[in-house]
Amino acid sequence: LALEGPADTAVLDLGGQLLVLTPARSTPRASGNRQRLWPIGISDPDHPLNVMALLELPSTRFSVSTSSQAEQPGHIRDPRTGGGAERARSVTVVNASAMAADAWSTALFVLGCDSALALAERVGVSALCADRRVRWTRDLDGRVALATDSVAPGRGP
């Protein structure tokens, strides 16, 4: 990426997707001897100005991509029905690759949370999924804080 070198830290907001580039020494928050973390808010798809969950991610290169129907209802299609995907309210994927994060968040959104979380773990991507509750892959355990009461909490598949 062209920013690596001239910039020591970069956060690019691509509308539903963030790309974060940071060297290990440049972090927004440190806590004792614990790993330095970046807090990333995930919007509630039913109330986009509210944060549904907070992800704490290590200081490194990562991309966070969220797919939902909130801003453009029906724009993500389910190829099984031909209609708008409706099995999940929101799916967020974390990956080192921005392209992979974007592609997986859309594909997992179409599948719905149960299938999405199982597949995410098999292919090695981190995912947070909201339907009637919020769940996430095991690798995000300890890195997710629910911020609203708009959905019931739940952990992993």
Side-chain angles (χ1 to χ4, degrees), residues 111-132:
L111 289 176
C113 291
D114 293 334
S115 297
L117 292 170
L119 180 58
E121 291 205 349
R122 281 199 310 271
V123 299
V125 297
S126 302
L128 181 140
C129 191
D131 47 19
R132 64 187 179 283

Side-chain angles (χ1 to χ4, degrees), residues 43-68:
S43 293
D44 183 325
D46 295 330
H47 308 281
L49 297 178
N50 294 336
V51 173
M52 172 178 68
L54 187 68
L55 291 176
E56 290 190 323
L57 301 173
S59 177
T60 184
R61 176 190 173 136
F62 62 86
S63 183
V64 178
S65 179
T66 299
S67 292
S68 78

Side-chain angles (χ1 to χ4, degrees), residues 67-69 75-91 103-116 119 129:
S67 292
S68 78
Q69 302 281 27
H75 81 285
I76 301 174
R77 311 299 284 180
D78 185 334
R80 295 168 292 203
T81 65
E86 299 175 348
R87 293 174 183 227
R89 293 173 48 231
S90 171
V91 173
W104 279 114
S105 69
T106 303
L108 296 176
F109 180 82
V110 171
L111 289 176
C113 291
D114 293 334
S115 297
L119 180 58
C129 191

Side-chain angles (χ1 to χ4, degrees), residues 3 6 8 13 18-19 38 53 58 61 63 65 71 77 79 82 86 90 95 97 100 102 112 115 126 134 140 149 152:
L3 291 174
D8 66 354
D13 181 349
L18 291 175
L19 176 61
W38 279 80
R61 176 190 173 136
S63 183
S65 179
E71 292 182 16
R77 311 299 284 180
E86 299 175 348
S90 171
N95 195 275
S97 163
D102 181 49
S115 297
S126 302
V134 178
L140 292 178
D149 293 329

Side-chain angles (χ1 to χ4, degrees), residues 24-47:
R25 71 187 189 310
S26 175
T27 60
R29 180 172 57 147
S31 176
N33 291 332
R34 291 180 52 203
Q35 186 176 24
R36 295 173 177 144
L37 303 173
W38 279 80
I40 305 293
I42 307 301
S43 293
D44 183 325
D46 295 330
H47 308 281

Side-chain angles (χ1 to χ4, degrees), residues 98 102 107 123 136 138 143 157:
D102 181 49
V123 299
W136 51 88
R138 285 184 282 255
R143 297 190 183 274

